[in-house]
Amino acid sequence: MKTKVIVYTQQGCPHCTDMKKQLKEENIMFETRDIEEHNKQWDIVSKRTNNEYIPTVELQIEGRVLYFAPDRDWEEVNECVGMVKDLVLWD
């Protein structure tokens, strides 16, 4: 089953740029969703994670949805990329 990775970002966010760069370097395919353009979806994600910080990563895997939010699940971008990589490798 294919894992879907979605990165919630905002233009001008340096951490978001770093997240996308590191995911590309690890050859992890992902979709980007700007929180300004997808504000209704972002409202749902931020409520589910109880966190409004970006970049937040959503993984859809085997019928489940997992979220990795900054300051809640990780401190440094590379930590999040490592967690995503570990889960995507099982795909």
Side-chain angles (χ1 to χ4, degrees):
M1 181 167 218
K2 183 147 178 65
T3 300
K4 185 174 187 178
V5 179
I6 301 168
V7 181
Y8 290 90
T9 68
Q10 187 173 28
Q11 194 164 1
C13 167
H15 296 297
C16 300
T17 301
D18 193 26
M19 174 74 72
K20 293 183 282 188
K21 178 182 177 232
Q22 288 188 40
L23 289 170
K24 286 178 186 175
E25 288 172 354
E26 294 292 341
N27 295 312
I28 297 171
M29 302 290 289
F30 62 93
E31 292 180 22
T32 301
R33 299 221 176 123
D34 187 289
I35 64 172
E36 297 294 323
E37 295 174 23
H38 300 273
N39 59 344
K40 289 181 183 177
Q41 194 169 8
W42 173 243
D43 286 344
I44 293 167
V45 170
S46 63
K47 286 177 183 162
R48 286 181 180 167
T49 61
N50 196 30
N51 191 322
E52 294 185 357
Y53 297 120
I54 52 173
T56 293
V57 176
E58 175 181 316
L59 271 93
Q60 298 174 7
I61 183 168
E62 296 182 3
R64 295 181 299 156
V65 178
L66 305 172
Y67 296 101
F68 298 105
D71 290 344
R72 187 192 80 164
D73 303 306
W74 54 272
E75 295 296 322
E76 300 292 330
V77 170
N78 63 323
E79 291 175 73
C80 182
V81 171
M83 290 186 287
V84 171
K85 182 179 175 182
D86 288 345
L87 289 170
V88 170
L89 284 176
W90 288 99
D91 188 13

